[in-house]
Structure formats: C-alpha cells, structure tokens
Amino acid sequence: MTQDIHSILTEERKFVPPKAFTPRRIRSASQLESLRQSARSDLEGFWGKLAKTELDWQTPFSHVLDRQNAPHFRWFEDGNLNVSFNCLDRHLSTRGNKTAIIFEGEQGDTETLTYHTLYERVCRFANALKKQGVGKGDRVILYMPMIPEAVIAMQACARIGAIHSVVFGGFSAEALKDRIEDTKACCLITADGGHRGGKIIELKKTADRALELGGATVKNVIVFQRTGKTVPMISGRDHWWHEIVSDCDVACEPEWVNSEHPLFILYTSGSTGKPKGLQHSSGGYLLGATMTCQWVFDLDDSDIFWCTADVGWITGHTYVAYGPLSNGATIMMYEGAPTVPDGGRFWKICEKHRVTVFYTAPTAIRALMKLGDDVPNRYDLSSLRLLGTVGEPINPEAWMWYHRVIGQSRCPIVDTWWQTETGAIMASPIPGVTATKPGSCTQPLPGIDLDIVDSEGNSIQASDKGGYLVVRQPWPSMARTIWGDDQRYVDTYWSQFDGKYYVAGDSARRDSDGYFWIMGRLDDVLNVSGHRLGTMEIESALVAHPCVVEAAVVGFPHDIKGEGIHAFVVTKPSETQQDSDIVETLKQWVVEQIGAIARPDVIVLVDNLPKTRSGKIMRRLLRSIACKEKISQDTSTLENETILSQIRAAEPN
Ligand code: WT7
C-alpha cells in the first residue's frame, strides 16, 4: 500500500519563531531538547515526575506504567484523584475570583463565570445528578449546545465518577439513539434548544425522537432552559435543570477515583461498522491535556484561550472542558456559527474579549479567508499572541493567510496533529522555539515516540516516500479501549505490526529537517470539515433507504470542507419512479440518519457499481471519477469494464 503514497506537496518556506513572541513555558530549543532527551532515556520517570508535580492526587501512585495487559496500558494505576478537583478546587485559594469562562451566545448575550462560580455550579449540578440516582461508573449522555452548562455537566460527571459521553448537537436522533444504546446510559442531559446559524437547534425534540426509537436504559432526562421555547416534558422522566438544582447544596465532595477510571467515552467513525466509542482514562488523560496546554499553547494565568471546537468533539473535551481549566486559565466559549451576523464574528469576539490564544480548524480558516482580508482588518486583533490549527492538513495558502492577516506576521502558528484516540496533541511546533513550515505539524512532543514506517515496520527517514504514522511507546492520554469491544480496539489500532506499534491510520512523510507532513487517511475514512466520517456509515445509511439497492461513497477535494462526500447509488427503478427528486430525498435521508455533517455533496444514480470479480466495490476507481482524474489504476480485474463510461456519463460537470 505504501508504495502508492507519493508526496505532491513541495513546500519550501520556513518561518523562524517571530521575535515578538516570548515563550513562557518551554523557552528555548535546548530546554525542549532536554525534555525530549529525558523522556527518551526514562519514559516512565519523565511522565511520573510530571504527573506528581502537575496533578493533585488524593492517593499518590507508586507505579507509573503497567504494560501487562498491553495494548490496554495502565498509567499511574494505584493513584486516586478526581479530575474536577484538579480543574476547580485546587484553584480556589489562588484563583477563586479569576474568570474561568467568558461566554458569548450567538445572539450577543454574554456571561462570565469565575472559578468560584463555576465550582459552585458544578457542585450543585453534581448533587442534582446524584439525586437522580446517577453514580460512579454510570454513563451519562450529553446532547447540548455550546454553552457553559455543557462544561458544567461534563465536570459534574467527573466530580461524581460518572462517565460522560457527549454527542455533538448536529447529530441526528438515530445517531444519538445508537450512542445511548452502546453506552447503556441511564441519564440524558440536553437543552430546550441552542442558537446556531440564526436558527434554534431543537435538541430536546431530537432527544425525544431518539428515545422513541430506542435507548430504553435512559431513566431521566435533564433539560437546560436555553431558548425558552416551549418543549413537551414527560412527567417522571424529564426534569428542568433549574428546578432540580434549586435545592441542591453548593458543596459536593469529589468522588476519588482510580487513575484508570474512565472519564469519558467519545465516538468517532471508523472504516467499518458502527462508530467506535473511545474510552479515556482520568489520570493519564488529564496529564496529557494539562501538559499540552503548557507546551503547545504556552498557557499561563494571563491568557484568554479560545478553542472554537464544539464540546461534541475531542478538541472540545481536551482544550475547552479540561486542559485549560486544569491549568487555571480563562477560556472563551461561543455558542454559534462563525458567520452570524457576518463573517467578522470570530474576529469581533477576539477583539471584544481580548483573546490571546486562538485555536481553530483549517475548514473555518478557509471559509473565513474566502470573505477577504477586509473583514478581519476591521477588528483590533492585537491581543492575539498565538494561533493554532487542528483537524486536517492545512493547505499552505490558508496557513499563509492565517499567518499574515490574523496573526499579522507576529503570532506563531501551531499546527497540531492528534486524534480522538490520542486524547491530546501528539505533534506540534513549540511556539517561539520551533521554526514552522506551512502545512507541517513539525515534530512530536516530548514523551511521544512518533515514527513513520513502511509495511514491514521499518522506519522511513527523510524522503518523499510516505509511510504509516505510528507511535512506538505508550503515552498517558492514549485511549484505553473501545467501549465494550476490546478486540476491536486491538484489531483496529494494534494488529498491523503485531502489537508493536499504535497505528494511527494516517500516512505521513518526513523531510530533510526531520519534520512530519501528514498526508491523509489510509483507510476508507473521510475528513469532512475536520471530522472523521466513515464511508461505510454513509453507505449503510443510504442502503437503509427503501429505494436503494447499493451505494458506494468516496471523498473528493472540497475547497472549504477539505473533503466532500460523493455517493454513487444504484436505485430500485420501481420505487424511484414515484419520487421525482430522489437525489434530494436521499441527501435529506442521510441527514436524518447521521446528521447534517454527513449530507452528501453529490449523489450520482448509476445502474451498477464497478466491482472486482470477487464482488468488491472498486472504490479507488470511483474516487478517480469523483475527483475528475484520469484513471491510472489497473482495470483488468474489473468485472464489467463498460460500467466506467456509463458512470462517467452520469457525473455532473
Ligand atoms: C484525524 C483525527 C484531533 C482533533 C480533531 C480531529 C486528521 C488532525 C491534523 C493535523 C493533518 C490532521 C488526521 C487524524 N488530523 N489534525 N494537524 N494535520 N491531519 O480529530 O476526528 O479524531 O480525527 O484528523 O487524519 O487521524 P479526529
């Protein structure tokens, strides 16, 4: 497979750290090198020391890493701690009146919460959860807008040892039901709605629908009143957030849990089957979240950190709900879309709230770039000191715009590579220390043993040849397993090189400076707007429609989303005749099955799909067609070669 991977990117620009940026955490190349060196010479000593100094333990651990049950590694196993204590209580004496969260709603309403207020609200809500019968180890589903209560609910779960699973508010009832059923959650926390794109997202309505479809384990639904719109409440099952907290105490003793106690489950797409629920730990995860905020974002007490990700994604977990709070920083939270009321909203927020560190995705950068320089130029962006990006390879053009127009050539850019599975950033420049190149995540962080290997597992050094991106040693914030499916975890991530390496599923290459360039996914996973979607999932959704016989889904380059979704669909003529706009019907159907994020950009109706003689759909051929490329692959294994010209003829121009 790897011989097919050839790099087409030849980016030669290199930017030395801007003089205007004075790093506070890792201050020099020699300090960075000595951290790397100490991790290389004693991995356990390195992480053990940080875990002791950077986290507060109720019972200290005596043992750093247990490899016995590899690849289900265990970190700081015999230590007890509480994640919410580390994010809140430990700051109260020194930062009680410091702002923890600055919130702005899409309609312009704002709210500021100090660490003390946040602590009280978390405790109150934790007590309310307990009163609903939620306890240690129970699973709680969150289906919330981007409002402080989302963070409060996550922290409250952590406080009582309940395991949260946040489902992105853009997912459909069907997707929500699947996640409830996979986790067997006893409680669902949602809101009457949220504001996004000038509309109200009716979360409660979708949650009700999900519970009609299934999810029988849910006994209680807690509803936060955000929009004030009337929603039906089922007596005995549904409870208003404000009512159940009203008589709750503002103190709640944290539940001390083992370091390995699951903190959360978060679903992500794979190439086959249902989404995987990645299970993350308490101690190791929090250490990764805490350290990367210092190393990569250079966070200290003076910062206002804005990570624009929704809490429904891993980025929103690590860099909204946990990492910055563990460090006692101030976070910015914004509820809505970047284009409401216009494309200047992000920059207006940066100006108004004096944001210092801004972290977003290439898809957002590209979309805002298209609106022109005039829009950001209207705002005072002088508070910004550091910019970050995550989610997909950033194209050099977008990088340069971000650097020049948003960072005003003054702010370093950290291009951070990581995944839902890795829990925290794995490779990134160190701001003010590492010279950057547009499109490269540069080098692994201290303690992260990243490598690029060929199909035999041999390291590939500087070359234009790509290989498998792997991690050779465990790290504290790694996922522990797939919830309820240990075997799938082993098969998916550890089987390729016989358990020796964690296989990320990305291809990458290394340049002559030893910089890493991520080239994209190796499996049938699309990266749409920085989020993973399995082609299988979309295909299954399409095939579930009564009109559809067969479907194949591939990605194609998309200006803003990175990758667009292109479906080839074989329909049943008898059923289809009754629907004059079957293509639109099917697009809407996918939205209902999975969510708006999975809406196909193009659906082409075909009579047949190209298959090998053994019946496998030849997706590579379809990808060439969708990308409007010449077919260079061997088509001799194709069962029916004339099919290709038929499909091409059906393509939109
Ligand atoms: C996949 C992980 C980690 C939070 C966001 C996405 C791609 C992520 C980068 C980057 C190139 C990147 C990879 C990875 N990716 N960051 N800086 N450069 N590619 O999390 O949904 O778990 O997706 O996103 O392909 O495997 P995710």
Side-chain angles (χ1 to χ4, degrees):
M1 178 180 247
T2 47
Q3 61 257 40
D4 291 332
I5 308 168
H6 277 283
S7 172
I8 41 156
L9 251 183
T10 44
E11 175 59 50
E12 301 288 342
R13 282 170 292 202
K14 189 168 179 173
F15 293 83
V16 296
K19 289 238 162 26
F21 185 90
T22 312
R24 307 176 282 215
R25 296 289 191 169
I26 299 180
R27 289 182 302 276
S28 66
S30 60
Q31 192 188 347
L32 172 59
E33 189 43 41
S34 91
L35 279 171
R36 287 209 169 103
Q37 196 45 49
S38 74
R40 271 196 290 266
S41 60
D42 177 12
L43 188 76
E44 294 189 31
F46 174 78
W47 287 117
K49 189 172 154 213
L50 292 173
K52 280 209 176 80
T53 55
E54 300 296 326
L55 301 183
D56 284 22
W57 298 83
Q58 189 248 359
T59 314
F61 56 90
S62 64
H63 198 84
V64 173
L65 173 62
D66 181 354
R67 296 176 181 263
Q68 259 183 29
N69 209 8
H72 307 282
F73 296 93
R74 301 174 72 81
W75 287 87
F76 319 118
E77 218 198 335
D78 56 350
N80 288 341
L81 83 173
N82 180 281
V83 169
S84 145
F85 180 91
N86 275 275
C87 293
L88 302 168
D89 308 44
R90 67 164 165 167
H91 304 309
L92 293 181
S93 62
T94 47
R95 302 183 177 96
N97 292 321
K98 180 184 168 171
T99 301
I101 301 180
I102 305 171
F103 168 71
E104 185 169 311
E106 191 177 74
Q107 298 180 321
D109 49 315
T110 60
E111 189 184 10
T112 315
L113 282 78
T114 64
Y115 267 92
H116 194 84
T117 319
L118 181 61
Y119 161 82
E120 285 192 349
R121 292 209 194 159
V122 168
C123 286
R124 268 221 153 107
F125 191 63
N127 284 325
L129 284 175
K130 282 206 242 177
K131 268 209 321 217
Q132 301 287 317
V134 180
K136 182 177 170 186
D138 289 341
R139 276 80 61 209
V140 175
I141 297 275
L142 271 69
Y143 190 62
M144 299 279 284
M146 261 310 272
I147 55 176
E149 283 68 23
V151 172
I152 291 170
M154 291 163 86
Q155 289 283 348
C157 287
R159 194 157 192 95
I160 64 173
I163 305 167
H164 62 67
S165 187
V166 186
V167 177
F168 173 56
F171 277 129
S172 67
E174 189 75 38
L176 177 59
K177 180 215 73 181
D178 287 346
R179 286 151 178 79
I180 294 169
E181 293 190 339
D182 195 56
T183 56
K184 302 192 175 65
C186 63
C187 179
L188 170 63
I189 306 172
T190 187
D192 56 354
H195 302 281
R196 192 159 172 108
K199 292 189 296 236
I200 286 181
I201 307 294
E202 296 184 287
L203 296 164
K204 173 66 162 67
K205 196 171 155 191
T206 310
D208 283 341
R209 177 85 192 110
L211 293 179
E212 275 163 35
L213 293 168
T217 50
V218 169
K219 297 288 170 270
N220 292 298
V221 177
I222 301 173
V223 188
F224 182 77
Q225 194 167 42
R226 169 69 187 142
T227 64
K229 235 184 118 171
T230 312
V231 292
M233 297 288 281
I234 296 181
S235 144
R237 188 196 75 177
D238 300 353
H239 317 272
W240 286 109
W241 175 304
H242 58 270
E243 284 176 8
I244 59 170
V245 297
S246 65
D247 58 349
C248 282
D249 205 31
V250 291
C252 173
E253 178 65 15
E255 177 82 37
W256 303 107
V257 299
N258 182 273
S259 176
E260 280 298 315
H261 182 69
L263 178 64
F264 65 85
I265 301 163
L266 186 62
Y267 286 83
T268 189
S269 299
S271 47
T272 55
K274 290 261 179 217
K276 307 169 279 205
L278 275 312
Q279 176 185 320
H280 278 282
S281 69
S282 297
Y285 169 79
L286 188 64
L287 185 63
T290 306
M291 294 324 300
T292 50
C293 278
Q294 297 180 17
W295 292 339
V296 177
F297 298 115
D298 201 45
L299 278 197
D300 84 359
D301 255 327
S302 61
D303 280 308
I304 296 174
F305 179 52
W306 186 16
C307 163
T308 66
D310 190 279
V311 288
W313 312 113
I314 189 70
T315 315
H317 282 59
T318 309
Y319 301 108
V320 178
Y322 292 114
L325 297 180
S326 168
N327 282 293
T330 300
I331 58 167
M332 175 74 219
M333 265 183 103
Y334 169 58
E335 177 189 31
T339 46
V340 176
D342 58 50
R345 187 62 181 268
F346 273 11
W347 320 127
K348 192 173 177 187
I349 291 173
C350 288
E351 173 186 272
K352 180 168 176 202
H353 301 289
R354 308 303 293 159
V355 172
T356 61
V357 183
F358 180 73
Y359 187 37
T360 196
T363 182
I365 300 169
R366 285 191 296 265
L368 297 171
M369 175 174 79
K370 289 223 182 291
L371 306 175
D373 299 7
D374 291 356
V375 184
N377 285 346
R378 268 182 242 137
Y379 300 93
D380 172 11
L381 299 178
S382 63
S383 60
L384 292 173
R385 66 189 296 266
L386 176 59
L387 304 174
T389 134
V390 62
E392 59 177 303
I394 182 166
N395 46 313
E397 188 200 359
W399 194 102
M400 287 305 300
W401 182 81
Y402 201 30
H403 168 74
R404 183 175 53 80
V405 180
I406 306 306
Q408 296 166 348
S409 308
R410 174 191 77 236
C411 304
I413 295 180
V414 288
D415 178 345
T416 62
W417 177 83
W418 61 298
Q419 311 176 290
T420 304
E421 292 85 346
T422 69
I425 296 169
M426 301 291 275
S428 167
I430 300 300
V433 172
T434 313
T436 52
K437 302 183 189 187
S440 168
C441 61
T442 75
Q443 295 206 311
L445 294 180
I448 304 299
D449 191 354
L450 208 60
D451 201 359
I452 299 167
V453 300
D454 64 20
S455 49
E456 307 287 287
N458 302 311
S459 185
I460 308 175
Q461 292 305 315
S463 72
D464 64 354
K465 207 180 110 198
Y468 298 86
L469 188 63
V470 299
V471 193
R472 300 193 304 185
Q473 287 292 332
W475 65 101
S477 67
M478 66 200 303
R480 299 305 193 251
T481 192
I482 292 173
W483 177 258
D485 201 345
D486 287 349
Q487 194 55 47
R488 189 173 176 200
Y489 176 72
V490 176
D491 294 346
T492 310
Y493 304 107
W494 297 89
S495 61
Q496 181 133 16
F497 300 106
D498 301 324
K500 237 168 85 183
Y501 303 142
Y502 167 82
V503 183
D506 282 330
S507 61
R509 71 180 176 96
R510 201 174 339 221
D511 70 15
S512 54
D513 288 334
Y515 277 31
F516 285 67
W517 297 77
I518 311 296
M519 294 158 67
R521 300 288 308 178
L522 282 160
D523 47 18
D524 284 325
V525 171
L526 307 182
N527 189 323
V528 179
S529 302
H531 302 299
R532 272 189 278 170
L533 284 173
T535 51
M536 251 295 283
E537 261 174 278
I538 307 169
E539 287 167 6
S540 316
L542 284 165
V543 173
H545 191 278
C547 287
V548 175
V549 182
E550 244 186 338
V553 167
V554 297
F556 66 96
H558 187 287
D559 262 10
I560 291 181
K561 301 202 283 185
E563 238 176 334
I565 302 171
H566 190 311
F568 298 87
V569 177
V570 182
T571 52
K572 289 180 197 150
S574 53
E575 312 266 349
T576 315
Q577 271 159 16
Q578 284 149 48
D579 187 342
S580 59
D581 200 359
I582 180 74
V583 165
E584 191 47 41
T585 303
L586 291 177
K587 286 184 181 177
Q588 198 44 42
W589 170 260
V590 174
V591 171
E592 281 158 28
Q593 297 290 305
I594 306 175
I597 192 171
R599 182 187 175 87
D601 296 279
V602 182
I603 292 184
V604 175
L605 304 182
V606 293
D607 296 339
N608 218 330
L609 294 171
K611 290 191 186 152
T612 61
R613 278 166 233 275
S614 63
K616 276 176 95 172
I617 297 173
M618 295 180 78
R619 283 195 183 68
R620 278 186 309 149
L621 286 181
L622 292 174
R623 199 171 302 132
S624 300
I625 294 173
C627 299
K628 308 205 185 308
E629 291 166 1
K630 231 180 74 213
I631 292 177
S632 54
Q633 296 101 330
D634 175 22
T635 53
S636 61
T637 54
L638 197 59
E639 186 199 36
N640 170 9
E641 234 175 313
T642 55
I643 186 92
L644 286 183
S645 45
Q646 280 173 27
I647 294 176
R648 270 205 201 283
E651 277 288 298
N653 290 314

